Amino acid sequence: MISDFTFGRVLIIGDLLLDCYIHGSVDRISPEAPVPVLLRAKHSTVPGGAANVAMNAAALGCKVTLVGLVGQDEAAREFRRTVSTCDTIDLTHLVQDPDWVTITKTRVLSGRQQIVRIDEEPSVVVPPATRERLVAAALAALEGADVVVCSDYAKGVLSNEVLQAVIRAANQQGIPVVVDPKRRDLSAYRGAQLITPNRKELSLATGLPVGTDTEIRFAALAAQEQFGGDVLVTRSEEGMTLLERDGRMTHAHVPQSEVFDVSGAGDTVVATLAAMMSAGTDLRTAMVIATNAAAIVVGKLGTATVSRAELSAALKSKIDRDSVIASLDQAQSMIEAWRQHGARVVFTNGCFDLLHPGHIALIQAAAQEGDKLVVALNSDASVRRLKGEERPLQDELARATVMGALRDVDLVVIFDEDTPLETICALKPDILVKGADYTEDQVVGGAEVKSWGGRVVLANLVSGRSTTSIVRKMKVALSEATRPAPVSSKPD
């Protein structure tokens, strides 16, 4: 779990932004022009660009040194104030230039809907003297760093001279470099261990399509030829793809989440990758963890961070979901945790030997009755006692694995008795569901569930569907297939 990792120090250099948000509500159109009138409610600011990477890395538990460029203006003062709320980010290596305009992005929102974005940024390139100061600051900050992140927003800080100096010095000290790129020519990042383009950035840099897994692979190979390192492609709702230098390609699917705002999601990804690398984690594991971090942050409004606690909880939830087969003791603990959050627990049971549409209908109906569904399976020995020595056709682990893969099922337990009564009494479900081929008084455990305030539900079944009838048809078909052909009575 994330709580078990010890993260190191991450040096982040790149374009510094101040993200401003004007919140309000719109209930009329201006009489002066066909535009909405916003009744302003509040104004907020958060660090953006490379500073958002820094905030995300710090939220996970890293110590961060931030190198970048700000002006001598009110936006720079507000930028320092917002970043200084995190005491694990070192700002002593920031470069200040009186001729530079601190970059701001102001978003105007009505509720969760963004109406317009207003950008303010310098109209001049970073002068040579300032570039030299940036290089000096970065080299000074390299001491004690475990990972270097170059957060390139194409605003001028990461010029060729700065990139080459930072990457060369990091390589000499054996410090891995991760780049979030914005260039069409990726050769400027040569010497970095990893770049993290999104699909659009990868396509622009290589001139290749990136719609399918195969196209992603060829485009990533082309990117590797340009800069020589590993390529991690962020693919929005399709997750991420990692192509390593040895040719191995790995996909990570992003957990389903409600998307409110993708602002800064790439920052969260690169920060999480860097944090995991600082803890000595391999890239494939880091990618999987980063997909979960991204899924959390897109559910938040505006530029945001993912805390160590949030990511730990998300990963634990995923592990719990992937490990739905539980012992009775484990099931009791999990159900107790569910109930602490107000969940209603549904219970159903059966042999579920060959999963068929009748079973699916029962599971779906049961899931609709509450918040969490527990399915109890008869063990192999229990099935044999009930159905005969030829059953089950699949062993209990196979049946539990198939059942646990169903979206509606939250937990699978196996019981060895002839009935699930002991399991029901141990778990105390709120709702007990059986097929409508039973009457309520015939449902094992029904009286007990009612005694603690629960209820019994009889679900409609799909007629003509049962494992027994499927087995019978299979036997008939096999018998006909192996029956000797009749001998012809006609002479040759």
Side-chain angles (χ1 to χ4, degrees):
M1 297 304 295
I2 291 296
S3 55
D4 298 327
F5 285 101
T6 300
F7 296 122
R9 178 175 291 278
V10 178
L11 166 59
I12 299 170
I13 178 170
D15 299 295
L16 304 179
L17 284 67
L18 181 67
D19 284 333
C20 306
Y21 294 88
I22 298 174
H23 301 266
S25 59
V26 172
D27 57 12
R28 64 191 179 96
I29 301 297
S30 171
E32 303 167 358
V35 295
V37 176
L38 181 87
L39 181 61
R40 177 169 168 158
K42 66 175 181 177
H43 176 271
S44 60
T45 56
V46 292
N52 186 41
V53 181
M55 296 294 285
N56 271 273
L60 291 175
C62 295
K63 293 182 178 178
V64 179
T65 302
L66 184 60
V67 177
L69 179 60
V70 294
Q72 289 183 350
D73 47 24
E74 181 58 37
R77 287 186 284 275
E78 180 63 13
F79 174 86
R80 287 179 179 275
R81 186 195 66 79
T82 58
V83 178
S84 296
T85 59
C86 181
D87 58 10
T88 56
I89 299 179
D90 178 6
L91 296 179
T92 59
H93 296 278
L94 289 189
V95 174
Q96 194 166 28
D97 186 334
D99 296 324
W100 187 257
V101 175
T102 304
I103 303 168
T104 62
K105 294 182 179 181
T106 302
R107 297 171 176 88
V108 180
L109 300 99
S110 175
R112 288 186 173 271
Q113 179 63 49
Q114 186 175 145
I115 299 173
V116 67
R117 194 181 87 183
I118 306 164
D119 289 2
E120 184 176 3
E121 56 186 72
S123 58
V124 297
V125 298
V126 178
T130 304
R131 289 200 297 267
E132 292 176 4
R133 292 173 61 198
L134 284 166
V135 170
L139 298 186
L142 264 178
E143 184 178 354
D146 297 290
V147 180
V148 175
V149 173
C150 295
S151 179
D152 193 351
Y153 270 71
K155 303 299 183 183
V157 167
L158 291 176
S159 62
N160 288 343
E161 296 88 343
V162 173
L163 276 169
Q164 291 165 8
V166 170
I167 293 174
R168 182 170 56 250
N171 287 341
Q172 290 172 350
Q173 298 183 42
I175 303 171
V177 179
V178 179
V179 177
D180 189 3
K182 286 292 185 294
R183 291 170 175 251
R184 289 177 180 266
D185 181 5
L186 301 176
S187 62
Y189 306 124
R190 182 166 294 278
Q193 178 179 342
L194 175 70
I195 61 171
T196 62
N198 59 33
R199 281 182 294 194
K200 181 180 178 181
E201 292 162 349
L202 181 63
S203 182
L204 288 174
T206 62
L208 295 173
V210 290
T212 67
D213 288 352
T214 301
E215 289 173 347
I216 289 283
R217 180 180 184 86
F218 282 114
L221 284 169
Q224 283 184 335
E225 290 178 2
Q226 291 187 39
F227 89 104
D230 301 319
V231 179
L232 187 146
V233 187
T234 56
R235 303 171 61 182
S236 301
E237 71 280 356
E238 295 177 15
M240 301 180 195
T241 297
L242 173 66
L243 183 68
E244 297 176 82
R245 277 163 284 189
D246 61 6
R248 182 183 303 183
M249 190 164 77
T250 309
H251 300 286
H253 298 289
V254 68
Q256 291 185 347
S257 59
E258 187 173 3
V259 178
F260 289 133
D261 195 340
V262 297
S263 301
D267 297 336
T268 299
V269 169
V270 73
T272 306
L273 290 169
M276 300 309 301
M277 291 169 66
S278 78
T281 306
D282 64 88
L283 278 180
R284 290 181 294 281
T285 301
M287 174 181 64
V288 172
I289 294 174
T291 60
N292 285 271
I296 296 170
V297 81
V298 297
K300 300 181 177 184
L301 186 62
T303 306
T305 62
V306 176
S307 71
R308 189 179 183 122
E310 286 177 305
L311 187 52
S312 292
L315 291 170
K316 184 178 187 302
S317 176
K318 184 179 188 300
I319 292 169
D320 290 344
R321 177 67 196 173
D322 291 343
S323 306
V324 295
I325 305 170
S327 67
L328 190 59
D329 287 344
Q330 290 171 331
Q332 286 176 306
S333 297
M334 292 178 71
I335 288 173
E336 182 180 350
W338 292 342
R339 286 205 169 103
Q340 288 177 355
H341 293 86
R344 296 167 301 159
V345 178
V346 185
F347 181 101
T348 192
N349 66 277
C351 300
F352 299 108
D353 197 356
L354 291 177
L355 207 60
H356 55 68
H359 291 148
I360 298 299
L362 175 63
I363 295 300
Q364 290 176 337
Q368 292 174 0
E369 295 294 331
D371 303 300
K372 296 289 185 179
L373 175 59
V374 179
V375 178
L377 296 179
N378 296 74
S379 69
D380 292 347
S382 177
V383 174
R384 280 193 292 271
R385 290 194 298 270
L386 294 173
K387 304 288 186 178
E389 288 299 318
E390 294 182 347
R391 301 280 297 279
L393 301 177
Q394 300 187 92
D395 63 40
E396 59 194 43
L397 181 57
R399 290 183 286 124
T401 301
V402 171
M403 182 60 67
L406 297 181
R407 181 183 296 275
D408 291 317
V409 177
D410 296 289
L411 195 64
V412 178
V413 294
I414 299 171
F415 64 93
D416 200 42
E417 298 77 26
D418 290 344
T419 75
L421 183 60
E422 290 185 26
T423 303
I424 291 170
C425 291
L427 301 183
K428 290 185 168 51
D430 304 294
I431 302 106
L432 176 59
V433 177
K434 288 294 288 184
D437 51 342
Y438 288 82
T439 60
E440 195 166 307
D441 62 298
Q442 294 175 325
V443 176
V444 172
E448 286 76 11
V449 170
K450 290 179 182 179
S451 72
W452 54 69
R455 57 190 176 89
V456 176
V457 175
L458 302 179
N460 292 327
L461 298 178
V462 177
S463 61
R465 299 286 185 175
S466 72
T467 302
T468 301
S469 65
I470 293 173
V471 172
R472 187 182 302 116
K473 290 178 182 178
M474 291 171 63
K475 287 182 176 179
V476 171
L478 181 62
S479 176
E480 291 177 352
T482 57
R483 184 182 302 161
V487 178
S488 174
S489 58
K490 295 180 180 181
D492 293 337

